[in-house]
Amino acid sequence: YDAEIPSSWGLIEWEADLPEGTIIQFMTRSGNSNEPSQTWSDWSPPYQNTKGEQILSPKARFLQFKTIFKSQSGRVSPEIRKVSLFYLQTNLAPQISDLQILPPNVVFIKLPVQEDQVFGKQNDNDQNTDNNSQTSALAMAKKSERKGFQTILWEAEDENNDALIFSVFIRNNQEDKWRLLQENITDKIFAFDTVTLPDGVYFIKIQAGDELSNPAGLTLTDEKISKPLVIDNSLPVIGQFQAVRNGSKLSVSFITEDSFSRIKEVKFLIRPDVWRVVFPEDGICDSKQEKFNFTLTLKPGSDDLITVKVTDAQGNVGVYRSTFLNHQ
């Protein structure tokens, strides 16, 4: 018998028909190789109490038994109907194999429900979803955006097939203390509103425990720490702005800056035209401060108001509006 994991053995018991003058005995041996070899234990002394006897073979992954049928006359034989073996697997710690931090503001919406619900949101009452149903539901969920939300996904398993429960912690990179965000999570997803935390660089820690399937003193845990997570809810700012018109030409210059995140995209709008992307002087938006200096040709009938929209890597949007200054 393959217990899959090294195990401690309990009772062996059996049900049998024993005509007068017949005896049944059992013997066991154990080992950790798929086929019995010299590494296995010797055969145990015979067991013959049908109500059950403690298996004497050493702790191992595999157990083999043999049955001895004895008959005084040789004309009748005992008959076995059922054999039962009891064992307890060695408890192995759960393993968190993967930890993902989704882009900021990305959430999964549960479907179908009366109203939108965010997967993994704190104080979510539906915490009894098993792994298979959660995976299926998540695959069918609608990906959406919620400003300020951060979603975390992870994978975890347990070789004993124990039910797992999770806790989520967060730590600022300037601190040593881990702060508990949520405990007693049975899903492998968690979403939280980052506006409750100061802007900064953080780490997420997921802790998995098997206490739902094991008594106190025998429980085991595993934990995994994420890559750095930037929490930035501050808007990028625009300064040193100038927009000077000379006939049909408009010269625009400004500097945009963000406290924690790189500048991702800058657009401008002059009605009735559409939003136009503009690149910084160095050609690439790749830092927390970018300088812009460009000249454009105004279309006939253009408004005298320019709007600039700056988006940082965390999805925060800063907007600046200015009327043109006529060149003298």
Side-chain angles (χ1 to χ4, degrees):
Y1 180 78
D2 181 5
E4 299 182 349
I5 295 172
S7 301
S8 301
W9 308 111
L11 296 180
I12 181 171
E13 60 183 26
W14 58 92
E15 297 176 7
D17 292 328
L18 295 174
E20 186 176 353
T22 64
I23 297 174
I24 286 181
Q25 293 180 331
F26 284 85
M27 303 172 71
T28 61
R29 63 179 177 178
S30 60
N32 290 304
S33 59
N34 191 44
E35 294 293 335
S37 66
Q38 293 181 348
T39 64
W40 279 49
S41 69
D42 294 331
W43 287 107
S44 68
Y47 314 114
Q48 55 187 23
N49 184 351
T50 59
K51 294 183 179 180
E53 289 193 41
Q54 173 64 46
I55 295 173
L56 301 177
S57 300
K59 178 179 180 178
R61 172 174 173 173
F62 298 94
L63 185 77
Q64 187 179 53
F65 71 85
K66 68 177 177 180
T67 311
I68 303 169
F69 298 82
K70 292 185 177 181
S71 172
Q72 293 179 350
S73 66
R75 294 190 297 271
V76 292
S77 174
E79 181 179 344
I80 297 174
R81 296 195 300 271
K82 179 180 179 182
V83 178
S84 298
L85 304 170
F86 296 87
Y87 65 96
L88 176 65
Q89 290 180 329
T90 300
N91 190 28
L92 301 178
Q95 296 290 324
I96 302 175
S97 56
D98 188 37
L99 174 54
Q100 298 182 43
I101 296 178
L102 296 190
N105 308 322
V106 174
V107 297
F108 290 95
I109 304 300
K110 292 183 178 181
L111 298 175
V113 289
Q114 295 296 320
E115 59 182 12
D116 288 352
Q117 296 182 24
V118 176
F119 264 111
K121 184 177 180 297
Q122 294 184 39
N123 301 322
D124 194 342
N125 291 326
D126 184 13
Q127 294 186 342
N128 296 317
T129 309
D130 61 41
N131 293 338
N132 292 332
S133 61
Q134 178 194 331
T135 301
S136 176
L138 192 57
M140 297 174 60
K142 179 179 69 174
K143 185 178 282 190
S144 184
E145 289 194 4
R146 290 290 186 273
K147 184 69 179 75
F149 271 81
Q150 181 64 61
T151 298
I152 300 167
L153 295 169
W154 61 90
E155 293 293 333
E157 58 186 16
D158 189 280
E159 289 193 53
N160 303 107
N161 292 319
D162 290 340
L164 298 181
I165 194 167
F166 306 98
S167 296
V168 181
F169 300 83
I170 193 167
R171 177 178 66 82
N172 188 288
N173 71 334
Q174 302 295 325
E175 300 177 339
D176 295 327
K177 179 181 179 180
W178 287 100
R179 301 179 186 276
L180 178 65
L181 284 177
Q182 187 75 18
E183 60 183 350
N184 299 327
I185 302 172
T186 54
D187 292 332
K188 298 173 186 175
I189 181 172
F190 179 69
F192 65 100
D193 192 346
T194 61
V195 298
T196 61
L197 297 167
D199 290 350
V201 178
Y202 291 83
F203 294 94
I204 297 292
K205 180 172 71 173
I206 304 297
Q207 186 179 81
D210 59 7
E211 57 261 37
L212 295 179
S213 299
N214 293 279
L218 296 179
T219 61
L220 295 172
T221 62
D222 187 33
E223 60 184 39
K224 194 173 186 67
I225 298 175
S226 72
K227 296 179 180 179
L229 163 67
V230 174
I231 292 180
D232 176 13
N233 291 303
S234 300
L235 304 183
V237 296
I238 300 170
Q240 302 181 30
F241 191 93
Q242 287 188 344
V244 179
R245 180 174 183 173
N246 188 357
S248 62
K249 299 294 184 179
L250 181 67
S251 298
V252 182
S253 64
F254 58 89
I255 294 176
T256 182
E257 186 174 7
D258 191 90
S259 57
F260 275 96
S261 306
R262 68 175 179 84
I263 304 301
K264 179 180 180 182
E265 182 182 64
V266 177
K267 293 182 176 182
F268 70 90
L269 172 67
I270 301 175
R271 301 183 190 279
D273 202 358
V274 296
W275 286 100
R276 302 288 183 180
V277 174
V278 62
F279 293 156
E281 285 187 346
D282 61 8
I284 302 176
C285 284
D286 58 1
S287 63
K288 292 185 286 187
Q289 185 184 82
E290 298 288 354
K291 187 176 181 180
F292 293 80
N293 192 347
F294 59 95
T295 300
L296 58 97
T297 301
L298 295 169
K299 296 180 179 180
S302 293
D303 196 359
D304 64 351
L305 177 69
I306 181 172
T307 302
V308 177
K309 180 170 65 176
V310 181
T311 305
D312 68 17
Q314 300 300 307
N316 301 304
V317 177
V319 178
Y320 187 90
R321 301 174 183 86
S322 178
T323 54
F324 305 158
L325 295 176
N326 291 319
H327 180 70
Q328 300 297 327

